[in-house]
Amino acid sequence: MKQQFSLEPADIVAHAPSLRGRKLMAAVALVAGTGFTLFGYDQGVMSSLLTGNQFEASFPEVIVEASHPNHATLQSFTIAIYEVGCLFGALSNLWVGDKLGRRRTIVVGGSIMIAGAILQTTAFSFPHLIFARIFTGFGNGLITSTVPTYHAELSPSAKRGRMIMMEGTLIVVGVTIAFFVNWSSAQWRVPIALQLVFEIIMVTCIGFLPESPRWLVKHGRNAEAMAVLSAMEDKPPTDPEVQRTYYGICEAVGVETSNQGSLRELTTGGRSQNFRRTVIAVVFMIMQQLTGINLVTLRTIVFQRLGLSDIDARIISVANGAEYVLASIAAIYVIDYVGRRRLMLFGAIGQCIVMLLLAILGYINSTAAQIVSVVLLFGFNTFFAFGWLGLAWLYCAEIAGLRTRALTNALSTASNWTFNFVVVMLVGPAFNNISWRTYIVFAAMNATIIPVVYFFCPETGGRSLEDLDVVFALAYINGDDPVKVSLRNDVPLAGSREADEILGVTPSMQQPH
């Protein structure tokens, strides 16, 4: 191991975080998890409130009836407009993410969401509600495009998959909490105001956590970065593994010529393969939405369309959410053993089959067919939880290089929110116009996803974030397929001399330490 570190021990000690090892990981998971619980809650609370009598009395624009057929579109619009705010929040991260850093971006996003929650709670007109949802969504866009990156950069490679898959579970927990809260007799403003609890916890607790060591190195704060890496691994800074990780991060920064990540960097090829990696992340997030999960997330409405009463639809919705949570928990325990690609393929194949069966049962349209359809929606949740729920956020945080990670995650998250909006807007009118054939559309989407994943998505499990730079560089140099290289076991580790040669790193390119 190369000893090329001239950091002063006193400087490292001065920047040591108050938490180390498991306690630090647990604290980071708490903040990241709270952010994604908030994400799920904010989506779930509105989709279930739409069919409530008190909400309809306040906002008659969402009541779907024969005399107002356009209200189906307004109903979808009320949910989907939130995604528009999220889209602009995610896109704003292209310019503010790397300047503010991961922690401050999360604080800004959380503060905007606090103001937005207050605006939603005090809404007395439909335009007021719509504006409040856009404003809240802007803050959530900042959070969802930052939290996965922050969590990934503060997680050891061996545990990274499990740590970030928890975020997917907590999205579902948030949605399920929303259904339980809305089941109560509380006036609709109370469930909306409850999100303030999550927002305040997140904004308060992030102040006690360190900044991402990757961001710190990128901005020349190397002693602080080494202190955080040492705390993450709960090992001294002199430990060879800590030093290799630190050097690998310096490598990732050193191979680029500019001092700051820019939009132009996203279009570069060569050893970094930034353009390819950005396209993979953006397409991956689009595919997550095209699976049809938002069709299932609007479960109360969907169950009513299957012929269930309002009460029965809500009961089944809560049971469906509970099953979804259990399936996502199971996924946490297999992600780092099975790998990313296998779970993606497993999920897409299962989702495709479920959608085809739903279409067939929708065509039959008998009482028995409706019962089986309800069961199949539980099955869809299971496949999605294993293959696409938390894994999408994990994969996009992993696939990008350090120089462009904030930019790539901003674009991929923006693409997710864009297609989230499109799908939510189309589901209601689609069921009204083509009924069960809507399922055929999503079956075709899932079928298309399978070859895209197989041929274009490299395996990211079992490697450090910097090791993936070596994978793409090696594939470029040898003219190989990055997917095939990612499945090899002989790729040099970042921070080694062999990796230096592959990345084209020379001593003059390294940052001063």
Side-chain angles (χ1 to χ4, degrees):
M1 181 69 211
K2 292 171 287 186
Q3 301 295 323
Q4 297 186 11
F5 308 98
S6 56
L7 298 173
E8 292 294 333
D11 291 339
I12 298 173
V13 172
H15 291 100
S18 57
L19 299 175
R20 297 181 64 86
R22 291 185 177 181
K23 291 182 179 179
L24 175 59
M25 294 301 99
V28 172
L30 171 66
V31 170
T34 302
F36 271 77
T37 303
L38 172 62
F39 166 26
Y41 183 84
D42 217 25
Q43 281 203 311
V45 73
M46 188 55 66
S47 63
S48 54
L49 279 176
L50 282 175
T51 57
N53 293 332
Q54 293 176 335
F55 189 83
E56 289 179 342
S58 299
F59 306 104
E61 292 87 348
V62 303
I63 302 174
V64 180
E65 51 192 1
S67 59
H68 296 94
N70 65 312
H71 282 196
T73 302
L74 286 177
Q75 190 181 72
S76 297
F77 181 76
T78 304
I79 298 173
I81 197 62
Y82 179 76
E83 275 75 54
V84 173
C86 293
L87 165 64
F88 285 108
L91 288 175
S92 70
N93 228 359
L94 290 170
W95 292 276
V96 304
D98 264 334
K99 293 179 180 178
L100 292 179
R102 317 306 191 218
R103 288 198 315 162
R104 282 184 288 181
T105 301
I106 293 171
V107 170
V108 170
S111 300
I112 291 173
M113 290 198 75
I114 289 172
I118 294 171
L119 286 172
Q120 286 187 79
T121 304
T122 57
F124 284 94
S125 67
F126 191 65
H128 182 167
L129 177 69
I130 295 302
F131 172 79
R133 285 188 59 73
I134 295 173
F135 191 80
T136 309
F138 187 92
N140 195 37
L142 281 171
I143 290 170
T144 52
S145 59
T146 305
V147 166
T149 297
Y150 179 69
H151 202 178
E153 292 181 342
L154 274 168
S155 299
S157 58
K159 299 179 181 178
R160 189 176 62 240
R162 279 169 285 171
M163 298 292 285
I164 300 181
M165 287 290 279
M166 289 181 188
E167 294 174 6
T169 298
L170 291 169
I171 292 174
V172 186
V173 169
V175 174
T176 305
I177 290 173
F179 278 108
F180 276 111
V181 170
N182 290 335
W183 182 256
S184 72
S185 59
Q187 212 267 354
W188 65 266
R189 298 182 194 277
V190 175
I192 289 181
L194 187 61
Q195 64 186 280
L196 286 165
V197 174
F198 302 114
E199 292 158 359
I200 292 170
I201 290 174
M202 180 181 62
V203 170
T204 302
C205 292
I206 191 73
F208 297 97
L209 297 179
E211 181 55 86
S212 158
R214 273 81 178 177
W215 186 85
L216 292 170
V217 170
K218 189 176 178 180
H219 289 77
R221 294 160 62 176
N222 293 43
E224 192 173 346
M226 177 62 89
V228 175
L229 288 171
S230 173
M232 281 171 52
E233 299 288 350
D234 200 13
K235 296 175 181 176
T238 54
D239 181 84
E241 186 63 24
V242 173
Q243 291 197 356
R244 188 185 69 79
T245 302
Y246 170 72
Y247 183 76
I249 296 171
C250 291
E251 258 181 1
V253 175
V255 294
E256 303 290 351
T257 57
S258 60
N259 292 324
Q260 296 289 336
S262 66
L263 289 174
R264 185 175 297 177
E265 267 188 271
L266 293 176
T267 65
T268 58
R271 287 181 168 91
S272 68
Q273 291 292 288
N274 286 334
F275 181 72
R276 177 193 288 265
R277 297 162 81 171
T278 300
V279 170
I280 291 172
V282 170
V283 171
F284 198 84
M285 277 300 199
I286 291 173
M287 292 192 300
Q288 190 209 38
Q289 292 303 313
L290 294 182
T291 59
I293 184 57
N294 268 315
L295 178 153
V296 182
T297 301
L298 300 172
R299 54 178 74 97
T300 303
I301 298 171
V302 172
F303 288 144
Q304 286 178 336
R305 292 181 187 277
L306 287 173
L308 298 176
S309 67
D310 178 63
I311 298 297
D312 288 343
R314 286 178 178 272
I315 292 173
I316 297 297
S317 294
V318 170
N320 186 269
E323 185 276 336
Y324 199 7
V325 171
L326 293 175
S328 64
I329 291 173
I332 293 172
Y333 291 97
V334 302
I335 181 66
D336 284 321
Y337 300 102
V338 177
R340 285 42 162 170
R341 282 168 49 85
R342 290 178 182 173
L343 287 181
M344 296 174 203
L345 293 169
F346 169 76
I349 292 169
Q351 289 156 193
C352 180
I353 294 171
V354 169
M355 287 295 180
L356 282 174
L357 292 175
L358 285 170
I360 293 170
L361 293 168
Y363 174 75
I364 296 172
N365 196 28
S366 65
T367 301
Q370 290 173 347
I371 293 172
V372 176
S373 294
V374 170
V375 175
L376 284 173
L377 288 175
F378 280 71
F380 186 93
N381 278 350
T382 301
F383 287 116
F384 186 83
F386 273 89
W388 292 86
L389 175 59
L391 205 157
W393 302 96
L394 165 66
Y395 192 75
C396 292
E398 290 179 325
I399 198 69
L402 172 59
R403 302 286 310 169
T404 59
R405 189 167 294 133
L407 303 176
T408 297
N409 275 275
L411 286 177
S412 63
T413 305
S415 71
N416 183 280
W417 288 118
T418 300
F419 280 81
N420 193 317
F421 173 81
V422 171
V423 171
V424 172
M425 282 298 296
L426 291 179
V427 163
F431 271 113
N432 285 339
N433 291 300
I434 62 175
S435 186
W436 55 269
R437 296 173 184 84
T438 304
Y439 296 118
I440 295 178
V441 174
F442 286 107
M445 295 293 184
N446 280 286
T448 304
I449 287 171
I450 296 167
V452 173
V453 169
Y454 186 83
F455 291 109
F456 298 105
C457 293
E459 178 60 60
T460 58
R463 301 184 188 277
S464 74
L465 298 176
E466 289 68 42
D467 288 341
L468 294 169
D469 293 336
V470 183
V471 168
F472 280 95
L474 184 61
Y476 171 76
I477 292 170
N478 296 334
D480 290 336
D481 180 1
V483 174
K484 293 180 179 178
V485 174
S486 71
L487 299 173
R488 288 166 45 181
N489 295 320
D490 61 346
V491 177
L493 298 177
S496 65
R497 289 188 176 87
E498 295 84 355
D500 282 357
E501 294 174 3
I502 293 169
L503 292 169
V505 174
T506 61
S508 61
M509 295 172 64
Q510 296 165 12
Q511 285 196 331
H513 310 312

